[in-house]
Amino acid sequence: MNYQSNDLKSILEYSKNLIDKSLRDVCGEDLLSNTYKGKGNFGQLLEKYFYGYEPNSKSVADFDKVGMELKTSPLKIINKNKFRSKERLVLNIINYLDIHSEKFEESTFLKKNYHILMIFYLYQIDVEVIDYIVKIVGDWKIPAVDLEIIKRDWESICEKIKNGKAHEISEGDTIYLGACTKGAKGGNLRPQPFSQIRAKQRAFSFKQGYLNHIIASLSNYKSDYGKLISSPLELSNKSFEQIVVEKFNPYLNKSIEDIVQGLSEKSFNSNSKNFFSNVTKHILGIELNQEIEEFDKAGIIVKTIRLKSNGLPKEDVSFPNFSFSEIINQDWEESDFKDVVESKFLFVFYRYTQDNSLILDKVKFWNMSFEEINESQRVWEFTKEIVTQGNIVNRIYEGKRFTNFPSKKFSKVSHVRPHALNSKDTYPLPIKDKVTGLSEYTKHCFWLNNSFIRDNIYSKD
DNA sequence: GCATGATCATGC
DNA sequence: GCATGATCATGC
């Protein structure tokens, strides 16, 4: 191979040859000789045929002489020449049995993933792996501010293991560094040191939003992001969540009119749909035309809730519509709804007073507990079952259709309801509905029950 | 007053 | 043209 494995510059220069090329372009001869059997993922093939070493899962870095790991990851294209990550980046497997005795600074995770040679290729459906085109090759290290957040993420994952709760770990527990399930669908249970309960195998991962920012930093996109935290020192005695919540403190119990007082009416027109999102940005000190960098990196979902004076949220909270034909072919582990319920949320609660003014009441970060995630899975499985059986409509009464989708009575956490322009705004049904014979149905989505938001998010702690 | 089905309005 | 956040309408 045409590089020196003990020389960073040499490795990088050699790697740049991949840009805008496929594996077939750069190592066609070796590939097409009889050693390549048309099998293997992109990363493995790249290691073997381009870098000339056998894929390994050692706990030392791939280019161990220079302390750099090799990671490959797929991109999707959003608008011409702008790339987004197709998925999270899966890092090393979490060794439940050993990790509790590690310190972050000397951890396997940090040794292996602090310095990464990132190779991003454009994923295309129905294209052979060796024909994927590499788009970005970059020498990347964890930035100092991110390192503080990642350190706390790593520690909180360890803490759960130390408390005998490895089986309750969720990606929503943490900010940038997740612990994603890895291995055979839902199976692959492993022992943990401080509990008899076996836990799903998990690996450290950079969340999808975090990867988007790595991509942006390596490809010099002009960014329209505002930062909440500019120096690692700010994180020395406060967590990220504390810092964010404290920014809301001066506005607590103030009316929405007081909060936006003196600000331009154009941006703070209370009829505008992004009004509350603008108010949140204002409170956090972010320009209105900017996105909040840390939230985007962490995939944090901000939900503004208005509580009626009796404390019940005025509305349930909706999520993106699901496709009927997709859900019947998916497992829970790969479903979009699982990603949603394993996200971290920022809830901003306003409350209507007796005289009908709206005041900022409470702000909190939240993610679903283990039991609530299981409950969401039950709702999801039931929904899948109904669509699979063609059993959507229960009866028609006075021209109105009543469905079998899981209602609020089915689960205290979540229910399924229409979410469409009108009843004619539909997605195709993979199996015709038995009662009506319909082959398409009004778009539906999963909702969080307002009573659940009151009892398990607003009222707790 | 709530649950469920239905629909609206804006911005990309 | 559609996703998203938000709201309406009706019957129990």
Side-chain angles (χ1 to χ4, degrees), chain A residues 57 80 91 110 151 174 189 272 283 315 410 414 424-425 447:
Chain A
S57 53
K80 66 170 184 169
L91 307 167
L110 194 64
K151 178 182 173 185
T174 49
L189 295 174
S272 131
I283 290 173
E315 309 292 340
F410 181 88
S414 168
K424 292 180 188 66
D425 183 17
W447 300 71

Side-chain angles (χ1 to χ4, degrees), chain A residues 146-331:
Chain A
D146 296 1
L147 191 61
E148 288 300 315
I149 291 176
I150 286 170
K151 178 182 173 185
R152 281 184 200 255
D153 287 343
W154 185 92
E155 287 169 347
S156 77
I157 292 167
C158 281
E159 199 57 30
K160 268 204 164 168
I161 297 165
K162 285 180 191 167
N163 291 332
K165 296 194 181 301
H167 56 291
E168 296 190 7
I169 293 172
S170 152
E171 273 199 298
D173 294 343
T174 49
I175 311 288
Y176 295 158
L177 183 68
C180 68
T181 54
K182 182 173 168 97
K185 295 162 186 168
N188 220 343
L189 295 174
R190 296 188 146 204
Q192 56 174 315
F194 304 111
S195 164
Q196 295 302 310
I197 304 170
R198 292 165 77 84
K200 280 181 191 166
Q201 172 172 272
R202 287 181 185 268
F204 288 113
S205 69
F206 288 137
K207 296 190 180 186
Q208 191 168 355
Y210 191 76
L211 266 197
N212 285 334
H213 281 260
I214 296 180
I215 291 165
S217 75
L218 294 176
S219 45
N220 301 319
Y221 290 156
K222 280 199 203 97
S223 76
D224 263 322
Y225 289 97
K227 281 188 170 61
L228 295 171
I229 294 169
S230 50
S231 154
L233 294 175
E234 296 173 53
L235 289 155
S236 56
N237 52 15
K238 278 180 193 165
S239 69
F240 172 73
E241 290 98 317
Q242 278 173 317
I243 292 173
V244 173
V245 169
E246 283 178 10
K247 286 182 195 273
F248 284 87
N249 282 347
Y251 299 92
L252 285 179
N253 295 315
K254 289 203 170 160
S255 73
I256 193 80
E257 290 83 6
D258 287 348
I259 295 173
V260 302
Q261 199 183 27
L263 299 166
S264 101
E265 286 195 16
K266 216 158 76 187
S267 315
F268 291 97
N269 165 11
S270 58
N271 294 322
S272 131
K273 288 282 172 178
N274 59 5
F275 172 66
F276 284 101
S277 138
N278 283 348
V279 174
T280 297
K281 282 181 187 172
H282 165 65
I283 290 173
L284 293 174
I286 302 284
E287 300 289 328
L288 298 188
N289 56 2
Q290 293 182 325
E291 297 301 318
I292 304 169
E293 177 165 323
E294 291 86 350
F295 286 11
D296 200 56
K297 283 157 95 167
I300 291 170
I301 301 174
V302 181
K303 293 286 184 190
T304 305
I305 306 293
R306 266 142 298 162
L307 303 166
K308 298 189 279 188
S309 53
N310 70 5
L312 189 71
K314 232 171 137 236
E315 309 292 340
D316 308 301
V317 166
S318 66
F319 293 118
N321 293 331
F322 62 86
S323 136
F324 300 117
S325 32
E326 243 171 47
I327 199 171
I328 69 159
N329 290 316
Q330 277 177 334
D331 286 301

